[in-house]
Structures are given as C-alpha cells and as structure tokens.
Amino acid sequence: MPPVLSSIIRDKVDHIDGASNAQLSVIDGIAKEFDLTVEKLSEIIKHFCNEMDKGLEKTGMNVAMIPSFVTGVPTGKEVGTFLALDLGGTNLRVCEIAFEGEGIIKVKQHKYRVTETQKTGSARQLFDFIADCVDKFLAEFVTDYTENAKIFKMGFTFSFPVEQTAINQGNLIKWTKGFTCSDSENKDVVFMLQEALNRKGVPVVVSALVNDTVGTLLSHSYKDPNTLIGIIYGTGTNGAYYEEISKIKKLNKIPDASEKMIINVEWGAFDSEKKALPITMFDNKLDRESNNPHYQIFEKMISGMYLGEIARNILLHLVDRMLLFDGYSSKELNRNYSFETEYMSAIEADESHTLDNARKILEELLNIPSTTLTDRQIVKRVCQIVGLRAARLSSTTLAAVIIHCGMVECGVSVGIDGSLFEFYPHFSARLKTALRELFGSNVDKIEISLARDGSGVGAALAAMLAATE
Ligand code: BGC
C-alpha cells in the first residue's frame, strides 16, 4: 500500500492518479516538513509575543515595533482633500483623496510602474522618478494645479522598515522585496523625497510618513472604529496595531496627551535567528540566493514575492530525483523566480479533471516539453503544501497581536490588504481555520475584512491628522 497523504494536508486534496510509491513517499515527507500542528503554531506565537515585548523596550530589535507617531484615531467625520503617494512593490500610486465626512471618501488615482532599474539603481534616481510621477499626476488629474499658487499636502506611504522619529521623519533601516537602491539606508526618506520634489519645483509638502500597514489600519478605522489591526499579505507581509503609549517603553518623549499610538510591527523580520520557525532546506536555499540573506525570514515563508520560488525549489528537487517531468526541467523553470506565485494561484484554482490550466502554465509558459496528469497533480499538491503553510503561519502573528492586546474575548476588527489575501485560493479560509484551532469559538468575534488599497487613503488621513494637531 502506498503511503496515505491526506492526513498531512490539512484541507481537501485531490487524488494523485498513477503515482509510484517513490513519488508518494517523497511528497509525503515534504508535506510533513511543511506541516504546522496547532501546538507548533502556539509555540511560534509565544516566541513572537516575547519578540514584540523586546521591540517595545528597545530600538534595533529583530521585530522592530516602530512607533508611527500617529496618535489620533479617525472618527469618520474628518473632511478635507489631501494627496497620497504609495511606494512599496511593483507600482507607485499617486492619489488625490477627498474625505467628505460620514465615512465617505472619493479617490482619484493613477499607478506608475517601477522598473527593476529604478528598484536597484541609486536613491536619487528613484526619488527623481517619484517626483516626476507626482508632477504628471497633478498636471493630468488635479484641476487647480496650475490655476493658483496652492501648496498641496501629501501623505507618503513607504512600505519598508523605517526608524520613525516624527510623523514626517524617518530613516530607512533596510530595503526589502527586491529593492536595493544605494545611498539610502539610514537616511531620512521624507527628506530625500522632499528634495526631489523641490528640485523639480513640484508644489507639494510631505507632511506625513506612514507604513502601508499603518495606512491600511487608519483607512479601515475611518470606516470601522473597532479596528485593532491593519495587515498586508501581498508581495511582502507586515502588520500595525493600536498600542497603549505607556507600553512603548523605548519612547523618550511622549508626543501629547494621547493614550494610544499605532505601532508598525515589521513582522516580516521575525525569527531571523531561525529559532522558532519550521525552516526547510527549500527555505534555506531561497534565503541563501536572495539579495538579503538572513533577513525577512518570516516574510520569505509567507509572502507573494517568495511562495513561487519555494515551490520551484521543491519542483526541481523532485525533477532531480526523477520523480517529476520524467527528470527533465527547462531553461525557464531553471531560472530563479520563474515559477511565479500567480502561477501557484492559477494551479490551485484549477479544478478541471485534466488540470488544463496547470498544463498551459507548465508547457506553454515554462516550456516543459510534455507533462502527464500525474505530473500536474504533483505540481498542484506542491502548491497546496506551500500555500497552506503560508496561510497557517500567517495566523500566528495576527493571533499574537490580539493576545498581546488582551482582546481574545472582546472581539476586534482586522483590515487586510494584499494580493495574497485577495486572490490566492483558500488563503483566507485556511487562515481562519488556523485561528479557529487557536481561539476556538472566540474566532467568531474577529471580524476580518478586505481593506483594498487602504494604504493610500490612510496616508492622506495621516496627513490630515498631522494638520489638525
Ligand atoms: C516591509 C514592510 C511592509 C511589508 C508589506 C515588508 O517587506 O518591510 O514595511 O509593510 O513589506 O508591504
């Protein structure tokens, strides 16, 4: 009898037709390595809670727990028009956002693609490009741009770890998600942006700097004041939440009489010492070959930038053992990051008996000469193993923040943005299953909703809150 696989996969899996014992037992071994029991999840949560405490105590800790200097909570009654700029992954987004009160928001926005050259060139080139985009946006979309000498106020969503020192000031700690611009680490990103805008004569003042999670949290709070956490599960991953100021021991100066401040957790960097996370050889290979080895270990197991690459490492492992594609790879599949997370999404979503979409991806996009149904079913199983672990791991930091804030029994709202959460098949259902295993019926008090494109709105809100202080 071949080994039974479905006990390891914690959700519905399809049968693999005609697989040999060798194929089944290797895949079973891999599934075991990627499996996360509820005990393991709890262990990770415990470790993460300790790391949060350390981060609140001192700067420079692994989980950075960055004070955002946003102390106001939106009421939904705010009115006014602000610009927002959102830099964090594939696109740069420029927006004009009008708050009309009663939770009503009107957004004009345009996306500009950030090229690989801009991501990896000099910081000056990147910020000059950003200033150009703001100028173009104002000329094209904002009617009173040239009519009077108005100075626009802008909130800047910058989705990278920044050691923030004021609402409009913060030094870049380290680039993530494939950005490596030179001459920028430890420098103030608002200053660099403002200089670029001034060089071009664009009449904009950058009045607030926020992380995308902080923006997501703020925009979700504008609609639902019960919101505790804002999360991104996209190209990268991270979360932000409202913390009691008295618990942020490392703050030298308490900004005002407020009781709460938003903390940008920067949980992507969790466990860079690899003490608690169940790292496999496929993760280690990815980390070693990445442009930031030993950093963002948690993010590398979860987020959209990396899942396809973990799956690719597994597929090549199977090819090398003659257990997949008859032992043949292709030039395309051999290239790093060629197996995109979007392909995993499409393959996991393929419910046809013959897995036709999987066949198209493998044969037409990745040039594997020919695939059998067994091959395609194995590829689908690999995607399920990697996708399931990502979703279950994602539950840990979310659960930890709720525990840390003592809100397990009270009920909270959580706003989540990002392509993985929005589009990856079963991601949110798997995440909720893990939360149910951890919290039992209390999970029904956690209201999780999609907060699409919230970070831009949030940056404008931060600019508004800063203007009213
Ligand atoms: C960055 C965070 C960001 C997250 C989601 C991570 O790589 O370090 O600052 O919030 O990606 O975009």
Side-chain angles (χ1 to χ4, degrees):
M1 272 284 281
V4 180
L5 289 167
S6 49
S7 60
I8 304 302
I9 294 274
R10 289 173 188 275
D11 49 11
K12 180 185 149 275
V13 287
D14 304 327
H15 184 68
I16 300 183
D17 297 301
S20 66
N21 278 358
Q23 284 170 315
L24 290 175
S25 89
V26 170
I27 296 167
D28 196 28
I30 294 172
K32 275 194 186 119
E33 276 189 78
F34 278 71
D35 186 40
L36 283 165
T37 59
V38 68
E39 291 76 27
K40 183 66 193 168
L41 294 178
S42 307
E43 206 184 290
I44 296 171
I45 291 174
K46 203 165 152 218
H47 191 60
F48 184 72
C49 283
N50 286 335
E51 294 293 282
M52 283 176 77
D53 289 340
K54 283 193 208 159
L56 287 172
E57 198 137 347
K58 271 200 212 150
T59 48
M61 293 290 104
N62 198 278
V63 175
M65 303 296 281
I66 299 166
S68 66
F69 293 86
V70 177
T71 49
V73 179
T75 59
K77 297 203 173 72
E78 293 82 357
V79 286
T81 300
F82 290 81
L83 295 179
L85 181 69
D86 191 347
L87 177 75
T90 336
N91 294 308
L92 169 76
R93 207 152 46 100
V94 189
C95 326
E96 185 196 52
I97 294 164
F99 298 98
E100 304 193 339
E102 314 285 323
I104 300 168
I105 305 169
K106 291 210 173 125
V107 180
K108 278 188 209 160
Q109 59 167 327
H110 195 74
K111 287 187 180 169
Y112 304 84
R113 197 168 177 81
V114 186
T115 63
E116 281 310 304
T117 322
Q118 281 150 350
K119 286 184 189 169
T120 53
S122 75
R124 187 177 169 124
Q125 279 163 342
L126 176 71
F127 283 102
D128 279 344
F129 159 74
I130 298 176
D132 263 345
C133 294
V134 176
D135 190 33
K136 275 192 216 144
F137 176 84
L138 287 171
E140 203 172 326
F141 297 98
V142 177
T143 34
D144 56 353
Y145 181 33
T146 45
E147 282 164 17
N148 47 41
K150 179 170 171 183
I151 306 278
F152 295 85
K153 286 201 168 134
M154 185 165 81
F156 180 23
T157 307
F158 184 74
S159 313
F160 302 93
V162 160
E163 195 57 69
Q164 208 151 339
T165 41
I167 183 66
N168 59 352
Q169 235 174 40
N171 294 346
L172 172 65
I173 300 173
K174 196 149 191 63
W175 289 108
T176 58
K177 297 175 286 195
F179 280 69
T180 55
C181 296
S182 56
D183 301 328
S184 43
E185 283 180 12
N186 294 322
K187 294 201 177 144
D188 182 356
V189 290
V190 173
F191 182 79
M192 286 191 278
L193 174 61
Q194 191 66 63
E195 291 264 280
L197 290 164
N198 296 350
R199 273 198 293 278
K200 244 198 122 39
V202 188
V204 168
V205 172
V206 187
S207 47
L209 169 70
V210 293
N211 184 263
D212 50 356
T213 54
V214 176
T216 302
L217 175 55
L218 279 172
S219 68
H220 206 259
S221 308
Y222 189 74
K223 293 188 200 132
D224 177 354
N226 222 0
T227 309
L228 175 71
I229 314 175
I231 295 182
I232 306 288
Y233 298 125
T235 311
T237 184
N238 188 14
Y241 71 103
Y242 292 102
E243 178 60 283
E244 283 164 32
I245 290 186
S246 60
K247 285 199 191 158
I248 316 174
K249 307 247 168 59
K250 63 185 172 183
L251 266 189
N252 295 331
K253 211 169 63 175
I254 309 289
D256 53 34
S258 316
E259 284 170 12
K260 298 216 166 175
M261 183 187 283
I262 297 179
I263 289 285
N264 162 19
V265 179
E266 284 297 339
W267 65 42
F270 170 47
D271 205 25
S272 292
E273 319 87 346
K274 304 188 181 172
K275 277 191 188 149
L277 294 171
I279 315 268
T280 66
M281 68 181 194
F282 309 105
D283 301 298
N284 277 328
K285 183 167 186 298
L286 178 149
D287 182 39
R288 197 176 310 119
E289 292 171 356
S290 70
N291 58 17
N292 54 352
H294 311 302
Y295 286 98
Q296 301 296 105
I297 295 299
F298 186 65
E299 175 163 273
K300 284 173 178 158
M301 299 171 87
I302 285 180
S303 73
M305 170 143 182
Y306 302 103
L307 294 188
E309 185 64 358
I310 303 173
R312 192 185 73 93
N313 285 342
I314 302 178
L315 297 182
L316 290 179
H317 174 83
L318 295 173
V319 168
D320 290 345
R321 272 146 200 82
M322 305 290 286
L323 299 172
L324 186 66
F325 309 143
D326 216 9
Y328 289 98
S329 178
S330 65
K331 205 164 92 210
E332 286 72 12
L333 186 63
N334 287 345
R335 216 184 56 237
N336 283 359
Y337 292 89
S338 60
F339 192 74
E340 297 175 14
T341 304
E342 265 180 51
Y343 298 168
M344 289 176 67
S345 270
I347 293 172
E348 276 225 52
D350 188 351
E351 294 292 344
S352 68
H353 286 308
T354 43
L355 295 180
D356 287 334
N357 284 341
R359 192 190 56 70
K360 275 193 199 125
I361 290 171
L362 295 166
E363 296 182 14
E364 293 172 21
L365 298 177
L366 291 165
N367 267 328
I368 306 291
S370 83
T371 61
T372 62
L373 179 60
T374 311
D375 284 332
R376 300 194 290 276
Q377 286 174 330
I378 291 178
V379 173
K380 183 168 178 185
R381 179 66 54 84
V382 167
C383 296
Q384 287 171 328
I385 291 172
V386 175
L388 176 68
R389 186 187 66 168
R392 287 179 72 77
L393 267 183
S394 297
S395 73
T396 58
T397 45
L398 163 56
V401 174
I402 298 178
I403 295 170
H404 171 91
C405 296
M407 300 297 274
V408 178
E409 294 185 351
C410 313
V412 292
S413 292
V414 183
I416 306 184
D417 196 8
S419 46
L420 211 58
F421 182 74
E422 189 171 1
F423 302 118
Y424 194 95
H426 320 299
F427 185 90
S428 86
R430 289 166 174 169
L431 170 74
K432 282 182 201 151
T433 303
L435 287 173
R436 185 169 293 281
E437 288 169 31
L438 290 162
F439 288 155
S441 59
N442 278 328
V443 77
D444 297 326
K445 298 182 196 148
I446 307 173
E447 177 102 24
I448 295 184
S449 29
L450 178 68
R452 191 187 290 124
D453 283 351
S455 55
V457 170
L461 267 173
M464 177 180 307
L465 292 173
T468 54
E469 264 162 20

